[in-house]
Amino acid sequence: MTEGARGPVQVEAEVLTNKRTGVYQHLTLLAPGVAERYRPGCLVALAVGSLSERILRRAFPIYRVRASTTYRSTLEVVIHAGEDPGRSWLADQPAGARIDVVGPLGRPYALPKEPVACLLAGSGHHSAPLFGLAERLRERGCTVHMLLGAPTERGLFGVLDAKRAARTVVVATEDGSVGMRGSVGDVLPGLLGRTPCDVVYAAGANGLLHAAAAAAEEHGAWSQTALDPPLVCTSGACLTCAVPVVGEDGVPRMVRSCVEGPVFRGDRVRWADLAPPTDTGTAAADVSQDVPR
């Protein structure tokens, strides 16, 4: 399935590696055509189970893509299985396994046209898309600062990578076990006050994203927020990932996160009207579905 040079494709991907990274699984996939279309913030939807037993796909932001002398470009995703059977199945796939993949999906982070100072803020595994974004921003001459957090030290992701990708890195844990005490949303306003930035890019739960949008507006910055709502069909047909926004014309409307998102301008999201988060995918874990080719 091909939808133009930048549209999504559906391919059978091969798992090249599956490594444990803290409390997360880090999968590297050979998915021809997907990595070549990658832009930071886009998603991939991975099929769960065999063709005869398939359940709803699980969507993940692309962590990064890599060129390889042995393979064509590879893509990487980070999985926090939790109690979701679909994510657990994917997290258990060994090297050599085959997984049906659709992607890249959705609207990516918008990149500045000129070199500016950027703050990238994320929590836990939600931070994954920020690392590829940091690379693209640095290629454009932007100054990159990163703020990474988690409830505890075990939940942190990518701190060492961040130190290689950003000029400055601030770490926060809610229990104070590493770095500053508090959530990313708690720490971000003060950090913006000390480190003025033109753009704030955020990835995480709704509370973090709302805090990032509010702090950016307070400090005169522009914000881009990557939402993580439940994605069932990943094609825009089911409308379960609807997000309340205010359009450029000032009119409130609902849009689909898997098509018009997952990245939205922070000042356009109607945060007070956003549905509370759910355990993505588990409610539909026993529903059989195959994405049409």
Side-chain angles (χ1 to χ4, degrees):
M1 177 180 69
T2 304
E3 298 181 7
R6 290 190 178 276
V9 295
Q10 183 171 2
V11 300
E12 185 180 60
E14 178 185 354
V15 178
L16 296 181
T17 63
N18 183 349
K19 300 178 181 179
R20 188 74 171 176
T21 303
V23 296
Y24 311 116
Q25 291 298 133
H26 176 186
L27 268 64
T28 300
L29 304 171
L30 177 61
V34 180
E36 289 80 0
R37 290 168 167 79
Y38 160 79
R39 288 183 291 173
C42 285
L43 308 169
V44 286
L46 277 55
V48 177
S50 64
L51 186 60
S52 62
E53 301 175 342
R54 187 158 294 169
I55 61 178
L56 292 172
R57 293 174 182 263
R58 301 297 187 265
F60 302 91
I62 298 172
Y63 169 34
R64 61 188 176 191
V65 298
R66 293 291 188 208
S68 171
T69 56
T70 306
Y71 305 99
R72 285 181 285 178
S73 297
T74 60
L75 67 88
E76 302 170 41
V77 297
V78 179
I79 299 175
H80 182 217
E83 298 180 357
D84 175 30
R87 290 173 182 260
S88 296
W89 185 88
L90 290 166
D92 289 340
Q93 295 308 293
R98 300 280 179 168
I99 300 175
D100 189 88
V101 174
V102 176
L105 299 166
R107 180 173 295 177
Y109 287 110
L111 302 177
K113 295 181 179 179
E114 299 178 357
V116 295
C118 304
L119 174 61
L120 282 55
S123 180
H125 66 290
H126 295 289
S127 305
L130 299 177
F131 295 89
L133 173 63
E135 292 181 7
R136 294 291 174 91
L137 291 172
R138 290 176 60 193
E139 290 171 359
R140 289 174 173 249
C142 295
T143 301
V144 176
H145 306 278
M146 294 190 78
L147 167 59
L148 300 177
T152 67
E153 180 180 5
R154 281 175 52 81
L156 290 169
F157 176 77
V159 174
L160 292 180
D161 281 351
K163 292 180 179 179
R164 292 188 287 267
R167 176 173 295 184
T168 65
V169 179
V170 174
V171 174
T173 50
E174 294 177 25
D175 66 353
S177 53
V178 176
M180 301 181 68
R181 179 183 292 273
S183 68
V184 171
D186 294 334
V187 172
L188 196 149
L191 180 58
L192 275 178
R194 299 188 300 273
T195 309
C197 290
D198 302 288
V199 187
V200 175
Y201 294 96
N206 294 346
L208 183 158
L209 301 179
H210 189 186
E217 185 172 1
E218 179 182 351
H219 289 84
W222 180 58
S223 64
Q224 289 266 296
T225 57
L227 273 68
D228 185 27
L231 300 179
V232 176
C233 72
T234 68
S235 66
C238 71
L239 303 180
T240 58
C241 64
V243 175
V245 301
V246 176
E248 293 185 4
D249 55 5
V251 177
R253 55 173 55 92
M254 302 294 288
V255 296
R256 300 159 297 177
S257 183
C258 64
V259 178
E260 287 84 14
V263 178
F264 298 93
R265 276 178 48 177
D267 61 338
R268 294 293 188 189
V269 178
R270 290 154 38 207
W271 298 104
D273 298 328
L274 199 60
T278 61
D279 188 1
T280 304
T282 57
D286 295 324
V287 180
S288 178
Q289 174 175 307
D290 212 3
V291 173
R293 294 183 182 273

